[in-house]
PDB file of all heavy atoms in Angstrom:
ATOM      1  N   PRO A   7       0.850  -1.203  -0.016  1.00 50.00           N
ATOM      2  CA  PRO A   7       0.014   0.032   0.077  1.00 50.00           C
ATOM      3  C   PRO A   7       0.838   1.341  -0.044  1.00 50.00           C
ATOM      4  O   PRO A   7       1.914   1.303   0.575  1.00 50.00           O
ATOM      5  CB  PRO A   7      -0.833  -0.133   1.299  1.00 50.00           C
ATOM      6  CG  PRO A   7       0.095  -1.043   2.232  1.00 50.00           C
ATOM      7  CD  PRO A   7       0.656  -1.893   1.186  1.00 50.00           C
ATOM      8  N   THR A   8       0.447   2.290  -0.694  1.00 52.00           N
ATOM      9  CA  THR A   8       1.135   3.516  -0.765  1.00 52.00           C
ATOM     10  C   THR A   8       1.179   4.121   0.672  1.00 52.00           C
ATOM     11  O   THR A   8       0.230   4.126   1.386  1.00 52.00           O
ATOM     12  CB  THR A   8       0.400   4.505  -1.740  1.00 52.00           C
ATOM     13  OG1 THR A   8       0.319   3.823  -2.939  1.00 52.00           O
ATOM     14  CG2 THR A   8       1.164   5.823  -1.839  1.00 52.00           C
ATOM     15  N   GLY A   9       2.352   4.750   0.983  1.00 57.00           N
ATOM     16  CA  GLY A   9       2.537   5.415   2.211  1.00 57.00           C
ATOM     17  C   GLY A   9       3.120   4.489   3.381  1.00 57.00           C
ATOM     18  O   GLY A   9       3.422   4.991   4.412  1.00 57.00           O
ATOM     19  N   GLU A  10       3.228   3.242   3.090  1.00 70.00           N
ATOM     20  CA  GLU A  10       3.730   2.402   4.048  1.00 70.00           C
ATOM     21  C   GLU A  10       5.211   2.040   3.770  1.00 70.00           C
ATOM     22  O   GLU A  10       5.674   2.242   2.584  1.00 70.00           O
ATOM     23  CB  GLU A  10       3.074   0.977   3.954  1.00 70.00           C
ATOM     24  CG  GLU A  10       1.602   1.002   4.407  1.00 70.00           C
ATOM     25  CD  GLU A  10       1.493   1.074   5.895  1.00 70.00           C
ATOM     26  OE1 GLU A  10       2.390   1.052   6.616  1.00 70.00           O
ATOM     27  OE2 GLU A  10       0.255   1.334   6.311  1.00 70.00           O
ATOM     28  N   HIS A  11       6.023   1.729   4.745  1.00 79.00           N
ATOM     29  CA  HIS A  11       7.377   1.402   4.574  1.00 79.00           C
ATOM     30  C   HIS A  11       7.504  -0.113   4.699  1.00 79.00           C
ATOM     31  O   HIS A  11       6.826  -0.769   5.481  1.00 79.00           O
ATOM     32  CB  HIS A  11       8.243   1.989   5.706  1.00 79.00           C
ATOM     33  CG  HIS A  11       8.171   3.514   5.765  1.00 79.00           C
ATOM     34  ND1 HIS A  11       7.187   4.112   6.558  1.00 79.00           N
ATOM     35  CD2 HIS A  11       8.855   4.463   5.158  1.00 79.00           C
ATOM     36  CE1 HIS A  11       7.338   5.425   6.388  1.00 79.00           C
ATOM     37  NE2 HIS A  11       8.204   5.731   5.542  1.00 79.00           N
ATOM     38  N   TYR A  12       8.318  -0.681   3.921  1.00 85.00           N
ATOM     39  CA  TYR A  12       8.442  -2.184   3.873  1.00 85.00           C
ATOM     40  C   TYR A  12       9.952  -2.609   3.507  1.00 85.00           C
ATOM     41  O   TYR A  12      10.723  -1.779   3.093  1.00 85.00           O
ATOM     42  CB  TYR A  12       7.416  -2.815   2.972  1.00 85.00           C
ATOM     43  CG  TYR A  12       7.402  -2.275   1.633  1.00 85.00           C
ATOM     44  CD1 TYR A  12       8.170  -3.132   0.566  1.00 85.00           C
ATOM     45  CD2 TYR A  12       6.803  -1.130   1.198  1.00 85.00           C
ATOM     46  CE1 TYR A  12       8.080  -2.681  -0.719  1.00 85.00           C
ATOM     47  CE2 TYR A  12       6.847  -0.743  -0.163  1.00 85.00           C
ATOM     48  CZ  TYR A  12       7.566  -1.481  -1.042  1.00 85.00           C
ATOM     49  OH  TYR A  12       7.595  -0.975  -2.337  1.00 85.00           O
ATOM     50  N   GLN A  13      10.176  -3.918   3.564  1.00 88.00           N
ATOM     51  CA  GLN A  13      11.387  -4.425   3.267  1.00 88.00           C
ATOM     52  C   GLN A  13      11.402  -5.007   1.867  1.00 88.00           C
ATOM     53  O   GLN A  13      10.456  -5.405   1.351  1.00 88.00           O
ATOM     54  CB  GLN A  13      11.761  -5.624   4.277  1.00 88.00           C
ATOM     55  CG  GLN A  13      11.723  -5.268   5.764  1.00 88.00           C
ATOM     56  CD  GLN A  13      12.039  -6.499   6.513  1.00 88.00           C
ATOM     57  OE1 GLN A  13      12.884  -7.279   6.251  1.00 88.00           O
ATOM     58  NE2 GLN A  13      11.103  -6.717   7.542  1.00 88.00           N
ATOM     59  N   VAL A  14      12.627  -4.801   1.283  1.00 88.00           N
ATOM     60  CA  VAL A  14      12.854  -5.422   0.004  1.00 88.00           C
ATOM     61  C   VAL A  14      14.002  -6.310   0.060  1.00 88.00           C
ATOM     62  O   VAL A  14      15.087  -5.869   0.354  1.00 88.00           O
ATOM     63  CB  VAL A  14      13.090  -4.375  -1.166  1.00 88.00           C
ATOM     64  CG1 VAL A  14      13.361  -5.112  -2.498  1.00 88.00           C
ATOM     65  CG2 VAL A  14      11.865  -3.555  -1.243  1.00 88.00           C
ATOM     66  N   ILE A  15      13.836  -7.651   0.014  1.00 89.00           N
ATOM     67  CA  ILE A  15      14.932  -8.632   0.138  1.00 89.00           C
ATOM     68  C   ILE A  15      15.570  -8.888  -1.338  1.00 89.00           C
ATOM     69  O   ILE A  15      14.785  -9.485  -2.139  1.00 89.00           O
ATOM     70  CB  ILE A  15      14.458  -9.856   0.775  1.00 89.00           C
ATOM     71  CG1 ILE A  15      13.929  -9.566   2.210  1.00 89.00           C
ATOM     72  CG2 ILE A  15      15.660 -10.919   0.862  1.00 89.00           C
ATOM     73  CD1 ILE A  15      13.431 -10.736   2.979  1.00 89.00           C
ATOM     74  N   HIS A  16      16.710  -8.669  -1.527  1.00 90.00           N
ATOM     75  CA  HIS A  16      17.312  -8.784  -2.874  1.00 90.00           C
ATOM     76  C   HIS A  16      17.869 -10.226  -3.005  1.00 90.00           C
ATOM     77  O   HIS A  16      18.426 -10.699  -2.003  1.00 90.00           O
ATOM     78  CB  HIS A  16      18.393  -7.722  -2.965  1.00 90.00           C
ATOM     79  CG  HIS A  16      17.823  -6.291  -3.003  1.00 90.00           C
ATOM     80  ND1 HIS A  16      17.265  -5.575  -4.103  1.00 90.00           N
ATOM     81  CD2 HIS A  16      17.583  -5.512  -1.911  1.00 90.00           C
ATOM     82  CE1 HIS A  16      16.915  -4.442  -3.689  1.00 90.00           C
ATOM     83  NE2 HIS A  16      17.115  -4.334  -2.435  1.00 90.00           N
ATOM     84  N   PRO A  17      18.027 -10.732  -4.280  1.00 91.00           N
ATOM     85  CA  PRO A  17      18.686 -11.978  -4.485  1.00 91.00           C
ATOM     86  C   PRO A  17      20.144 -11.815  -4.268  1.00 91.00           C
ATOM     87  O   PRO A  17      20.773 -10.695  -4.373  1.00 91.00           O
ATOM     88  CB  PRO A  17      18.396 -12.236  -5.973  1.00 91.00           C
ATOM     89  CG  PRO A  17      18.135 -10.967  -6.533  1.00 91.00           C
ATOM     90  CD  PRO A  17      17.423 -10.104  -5.501  1.00 91.00           C
ATOM     91  N   PHE A  18      20.914 -12.911  -3.832  1.00 94.00           N
ATOM     92  CA  PHE A  18      22.264 -12.846  -3.581  1.00 94.00           C
ATOM     93  C   PHE A  18      23.092 -12.577  -4.794  1.00 94.00           C
ATOM     94  O   PHE A  18      22.737 -13.158  -5.897  1.00 94.00           O
ATOM     95  CB  PHE A  18      22.686 -14.202  -2.839  1.00 94.00           C
ATOM     96  CG  PHE A  18      24.199 -14.262  -2.860  1.00 94.00           C
ATOM     97  CD1 PHE A  18      24.918 -13.529  -1.990  1.00 94.00           C
ATOM     98  CD2 PHE A  18      24.820 -15.286  -3.672  1.00 94.00           C
ATOM     99  CE1 PHE A  18      26.240 -13.688  -1.884  1.00 94.00           C
ATOM    100  CE2 PHE A  18      26.207 -15.442  -3.496  1.00 94.00           C
ATOM    101  CZ  PHE A  18      26.934 -14.660  -2.611  1.00 94.00           C
ATOM    102  N   ALA A  19      24.022 -11.756  -4.764  1.00 94.00           N
ATOM    103  CA  ALA A  19      24.946 -11.468  -5.847  1.00 94.00           C
ATOM    104  C   ALA A  19      26.335 -11.585  -5.285  1.00 94.00           C
ATOM    105  O   ALA A  19      26.748 -10.912  -4.410  1.00 94.00           O
ATOM    106  CB  ALA A  19      24.722 -10.174  -6.434  1.00 94.00           C
ATOM    107  N   PRO A  20      27.205 -12.480  -5.852  1.00 95.00           N
ATOM    108  CA  PRO A  20      28.539 -12.684  -5.357  1.00 95.00           C
ATOM    109  C   PRO A  20      29.356 -11.349  -5.446  1.00 95.00           C
ATOM    110  O   PRO A  20      29.079 -10.414  -6.224  1.00 95.00           O
ATOM    111  CB  PRO A  20      29.182 -13.724  -6.263  1.00 95.00           C
ATOM    112  CG  PRO A  20      27.948 -14.475  -6.877  1.00 95.00           C
ATOM    113  CD  PRO A  20      26.990 -13.458  -6.952  1.00 95.00           C
ATOM    114  N   PHE A  21      30.269 -11.116  -4.524  1.00 95.00           N
ATOM    115  CA  PHE A  21      31.078 -10.018  -4.414  1.00 95.00           C
ATOM    116  C   PHE A  21      32.593 -10.396  -4.155  1.00 95.00           C
ATOM    117  O   PHE A  21      32.818 -11.473  -3.687  1.00 95.00           O
ATOM    118  CB  PHE A  21      30.527  -8.921  -3.318  1.00 95.00           C
ATOM    119  CG  PHE A  21      30.563  -9.528  -1.971  1.00 95.00           C
ATOM    120  CD1 PHE A  21      31.679  -9.411  -1.088  1.00 95.00           C
ATOM    121  CD2 PHE A  21      29.435 -10.237  -1.485  1.00 95.00           C
ATOM    122  CE1 PHE A  21      31.536  -9.974   0.196  1.00 95.00           C
ATOM    123  CE2 PHE A  21      29.449 -10.762  -0.275  1.00 95.00           C
ATOM    124  CZ  PHE A  21      30.491 -10.647   0.633  1.00 95.00           C
ATOM    125  N   SER A  22      33.480  -9.443  -4.423  1.00 95.00           N
ATOM    126  CA  SER A  22      34.830  -9.533  -4.125  1.00 95.00           C
ATOM    127  C   SER A  22      35.235  -8.665  -2.930  1.00 95.00           C
ATOM    128  O   SER A  22      34.698  -7.578  -2.800  1.00 95.00           O
ATOM    129  CB  SER A  22      35.695  -9.289  -5.397  1.00 95.00           C
ATOM    130  OG  SER A  22      35.301 -10.078  -6.455  1.00 95.00           O
ATOM    131  N   LEU A  23      36.227  -9.074  -2.253  1.00 94.00           N
ATOM    132  CA  LEU A  23      36.690  -8.267  -1.174  1.00 94.00           C
ATOM    133  C   LEU A  23      37.817  -7.160  -1.622  1.00 94.00           C
ATOM    134  O   LEU A  23      38.733  -7.530  -2.320  1.00 94.00           O
ATOM    135  CB  LEU A  23      37.355  -9.143  -0.144  1.00 94.00           C
ATOM    136  CG  LEU A  23      36.594  -9.907   0.850  1.00 94.00           C
ATOM    137  CD1 LEU A  23      37.299 -10.858   1.735  1.00 94.00           C
ATOM    138  CD2 LEU A  23      35.794  -8.950   1.659  1.00 94.00           C
ATOM    139  N   PRO A  24      37.583  -5.962  -1.309  1.00 94.00           N
ATOM    140  CA  PRO A  24      38.460  -4.941  -1.628  1.00 94.00           C
ATOM    141  C   PRO A  24      39.729  -5.150  -0.757  1.00 94.00           C
ATOM    142  O   PRO A  24      39.594  -5.329   0.539  1.00 94.00           O
ATOM    143  CB  PRO A  24      37.906  -3.632  -1.419  1.00 94.00           C
ATOM    144  CG  PRO A  24      36.817  -3.977  -0.420  1.00 94.00           C
ATOM    145  CD  PRO A  24      36.372  -5.325  -0.699  1.00 94.00           C
ATOM    146  N   VAL A  25      40.971  -5.074  -1.204  1.00 94.00           N
ATOM    147  CA  VAL A  25      42.197  -5.300  -0.509  1.00 94.00           C
ATOM    148  C   VAL A  25      43.069  -4.000  -0.706  1.00 94.00           C
ATOM    149  O   VAL A  25      43.208  -3.465  -1.817  1.00 94.00           O
ATOM    150  CB  VAL A  25      42.960  -6.410  -0.917  1.00 94.00           C
ATOM    151  CG1 VAL A  25      44.173  -6.689  -0.166  1.00 94.00           C
ATOM    152  CG2 VAL A  25      42.055  -7.748  -0.870  1.00 94.00           C
ATOM    153  N   SER A  26      43.611  -3.446   0.462  1.00 93.00           N
ATOM    154  CA  SER A  26      44.506  -2.370   0.446  1.00 93.00           C
ATOM    155  C   SER A  26      45.711  -2.710   1.197  1.00 93.00           C
ATOM    156  O   SER A  26      45.660  -3.577   2.021  1.00 93.00           O
ATOM    157  CB  SER A  26      43.748  -1.082   0.854  1.00 93.00           C
ATOM    158  OG  SER A  26      43.401  -1.241   2.116  1.00 93.00           O
ATOM    159  N   GLN A  27      46.837  -1.980   1.027  1.00 91.00           N
ATOM    160  CA  GLN A  27      48.047  -2.186   1.704  1.00 91.00           C
ATOM    161  C   GLN A  27      48.457  -0.796   2.375  1.00 91.00           C
ATOM    162  O   GLN A  27      48.415   0.202   1.749  1.00 91.00           O
ATOM    163  CB  GLN A  27      49.180  -2.645   0.787  1.00 91.00           C
ATOM    164  CG  GLN A  27      48.885  -4.125   0.356  1.00 91.00           C
ATOM    165  CD  GLN A  27      50.216  -4.729  -0.296  1.00 91.00           C
ATOM    166  OE1 GLN A  27      51.269  -4.101  -0.223  1.00 91.00           O
ATOM    167  NE2 GLN A  27      50.055  -5.949  -0.796  1.00 91.00           N
ATOM    168  N   VAL A  28      48.923  -0.918   3.627  1.00 91.00           N
ATOM    169  CA  VAL A  28      49.232   0.172   4.280  1.00 91.00           C
ATOM    170  C   VAL A  28      50.618  -0.079   5.047  1.00 91.00           C
ATOM    171  O   VAL A  28      50.787  -1.019   5.785  1.00 91.00           O
ATOM    172  CB  VAL A  28      48.354   0.578   5.486  1.00 91.00           C
ATOM    173  CG1 VAL A  28      48.775   1.753   6.293  1.00 91.00           C
ATOM    174  CG2 VAL A  28      46.869   0.894   4.926  1.00 91.00           C
ATOM    175  N   PRO A  29      51.740   0.596   4.627  1.00 90.00           N
ATOM    176  CA  PRO A  29      53.025   0.379   5.261  1.00 90.00           C
ATOM    177  C   PRO A  29      53.053   0.926   6.598  1.00 90.00           C
ATOM    178  O   PRO A  29      52.610   2.028   6.852  1.00 90.00           O
ATOM    179  CB  PRO A  29      53.913   1.040   4.218  1.00 90.00           C
ATOM    180  CG  PRO A  29      53.172   2.113   3.620  1.00 90.00           C
ATOM    181  CD  PRO A  29      51.808   1.638   3.532  1.00 90.00           C
ATOM    182  N   VAL A  30      53.760   0.191   7.658  1.00 89.00           N
ATOM    183  CA  VAL A  30      53.934   0.629   8.930  1.00 89.00           C
ATOM    184  C   VAL A  30      55.329   0.304   9.474  1.00 89.00           C
ATOM    185  O   VAL A  30      55.901  -0.699   8.855  1.00 89.00           O
ATOM    186  CB  VAL A  30      52.860   0.079   9.847  1.00 89.00           C
ATOM    187  CG1 VAL A  30      51.507   0.526   9.564  1.00 89.00           C
ATOM    188  CG2 VAL A  30      52.967  -1.413   9.869  1.00 89.00           C
ATOM    189  N   CYS A  31      55.886   1.044  10.288  1.00 85.00           N
ATOM    190  CA  CYS A  31      57.259   0.798  10.699  1.00 85.00           C
ATOM    191  C   CYS A  31      57.458   0.042  11.990  1.00 85.00           C
ATOM    192  O   CYS A  31      58.333  -0.818  12.073  1.00 85.00           O
ATOM    193  CB  CYS A  31      57.994   2.206  10.868  1.00 85.00           C
ATOM    194  SG  CYS A  31      58.211   3.121   9.448  1.00 85.00           S
ATOM    195  N   ASP A  32      56.500   0.258  12.870  1.00 87.00           N
ATOM    196  CA  ASP A  32      56.539  -0.362  14.232  1.00 87.00           C
ATOM    197  C   ASP A  32      55.190  -0.633  14.787  1.00 87.00           C
ATOM    198  O   ASP A  32      54.185  -0.275  14.163  1.00 87.00           O
ATOM    199  CB  ASP A  32      57.470   0.401  15.155  1.00 87.00           C
ATOM    200  CG  ASP A  32      57.039   1.824  15.183  1.00 87.00           C
ATOM    201  OD1 ASP A  32      55.830   2.209  15.151  1.00 87.00           O
ATOM    202  OD2 ASP A  32      57.933   2.827  15.345  1.00 87.00           O
ATOM    203  N   ALA A  33      55.153  -1.138  16.038  1.00 87.00           N
ATOM    204  CA  ALA A  33      53.872  -1.477  16.638  1.00 87.00           C
ATOM    205  C   ALA A  33      53.054  -0.157  16.975  1.00 87.00           C
ATOM    206  O   ALA A  33      51.834  -0.157  16.763  1.00 87.00           O
ATOM    207  CB  ALA A  33      54.019  -2.172  18.001  1.00 87.00           C
ATOM    208  N   ALA A  34      53.654   0.842  17.252  1.00 89.00           N
ATOM    209  CA  ALA A  34      52.880   2.159  17.592  1.00 89.00           C
ATOM    210  C   ALA A  34      52.312   2.620  16.314  1.00 89.00           C
ATOM    211  O   ALA A  34      51.143   3.117  16.313  1.00 89.00           O
ATOM    212  CB  ALA A  34      53.868   3.187  18.182  1.00 89.00           C
ATOM    213  N   GLU A  35      53.043   2.577  15.185  1.00 90.00           N
ATOM    214  CA  GLU A  35      52.440   3.033  13.993  1.00 90.00           C
ATOM    215  C   GLU A  35      51.371   2.101  13.420  1.00 90.00           C
ATOM    216  O   GLU A  35      50.351   2.578  12.867  1.00 90.00           O
ATOM    217  CB  GLU A  35      53.502   3.199  12.932  1.00 90.00           C
ATOM    218  CG  GLU A  35      53.030   3.880  11.636  1.00 90.00           C
ATOM    219  CD  GLU A  35      54.159   4.175  10.648  1.00 90.00           C
ATOM    220  OE1 GLU A  35      55.334   4.289  11.148  1.00 90.00           O
ATOM    221  OE2 GLU A  35      53.929   4.307   9.402  1.00 90.00           O
ATOM    222  N   LEU A  36      51.499   0.812  13.787  1.00 88.00           N
ATOM    223  CA  LEU A  36      50.476  -0.149  13.309  1.00 88.00           C
ATOM    224  C   LEU A  36      49.178   0.163  14.137  1.00 88.00           C
ATOM    225  O   LEU A  36      48.131   0.131  13.362  1.00 88.00           O
ATOM    226  CB  LEU A  36      50.984  -1.536  13.649  1.00 88.00           C
ATOM    227  CG  LEU A  36      49.857  -2.722  13.590  1.00 88.00           C
ATOM    228  CD1 LEU A  36      49.395  -2.809  12.168  1.00 88.00           C
ATOM    229  CD2 LEU A  36      50.461  -3.974  14.048  1.00 88.00           C
ATOM    230  N   HIS A  37      49.261   0.379  15.345  1.00 89.00           N
ATOM    231  CA  HIS A  37      48.062   0.746  16.188  1.00 89.00           C
ATOM    232  C   HIS A  37      47.394   1.992  15.626  1.00 89.00           C
ATOM    233  O   HIS A  37      46.152   2.023  15.509  1.00 89.00           O
ATOM    234  CB  HIS A  37      48.429   1.002  17.659  1.00 89.00           C
ATOM    235  CG  HIS A  37      47.220   1.223  18.373  1.00 89.00           C
ATOM    236  ND1 HIS A  37      46.226   0.373  18.834  1.00 89.00           N
ATOM    237  CD2 HIS A  37      46.879   2.506  19.074  1.00 89.00           C
ATOM    238  CE1 HIS A  37      45.270   0.985  19.513  1.00 89.00           C
ATOM    239  NE2 HIS A  37      45.651   2.237  19.708  1.00 89.00           N
ATOM    240  N   ALA A  38      48.207   3.043  15.357  1.00 92.00           N
ATOM    241  CA  ALA A  38      47.618   4.291  14.801  1.00 92.00           C
ATOM    242  C   ALA A  38      47.021   4.101  13.502  1.00 92.00           C
ATOM    243  O   ALA A  38      45.954   4.612  13.213  1.00 92.00           O
ATOM    244  CB  ALA A  38      48.696   5.334  14.768  1.00 92.00           C
ATOM    245  N   ALA A  39      47.648   3.278  12.562  1.00 91.00           N
ATOM    246  CA  ALA A  39      47.073   3.011  11.339  1.00 91.00           C
ATOM    247  C   ALA A  39      45.753   2.223  11.326  1.00 91.00           C
ATOM    248  O   ALA A  39      44.811   2.531  10.627  1.00 91.00           O
ATOM    249  CB  ALA A  39      48.093   2.334  10.471  1.00 91.00           C
ATOM    250  N   GLU A  40      45.712   1.315  12.302  1.00 91.00           N
ATOM    251  CA  GLU A  40      44.525   0.611  12.464  1.00 91.00           C
ATOM    252  C   GLU A  40      43.322   1.477  12.901  1.00 91.00           C
ATOM    253  O   GLU A  40      42.117   1.351  12.366  1.00 91.00           O
ATOM    254  CB  GLU A  40      44.630  -0.541  13.533  1.00 91.00           C
ATOM    255  CG  GLU A  40      45.476  -1.702  13.161  1.00 91.00           C
ATOM    256  CD  GLU A  40      45.769  -2.689  14.155  1.00 91.00           C
ATOM    257  OE1 GLU A  40      45.704  -2.296  15.407  1.00 91.00           O
ATOM    258  OE2 GLU A  40      46.030  -3.855  13.827  1.00 91.00           O
TER     259      GLU A  40
END
């Protein structure tokens, strides 16, 4: 019905994980980067 809010469940679509690299020097920099 018009004016109501409802859910739309979409079919599954495979996806890929984005991967990035971050260089760090030591544990302190690793924590800050995280």
Side-chain angles (χ1 to χ4, degrees):
T8 302
E10 296 283 353
H11 303 92
Y12 57 96
Q13 306 177 48
V14 178
I15 301 175
H16 300 269
F18 169 69
F21 59 89
S22 299
L23 282 176
V25 181
S26 59
Q27 291 196 4
V28 177
V30 294
C31 294
D32 51 34
E35 187 172 339
L36 171 61
H37 178 73
E40 289 174 335

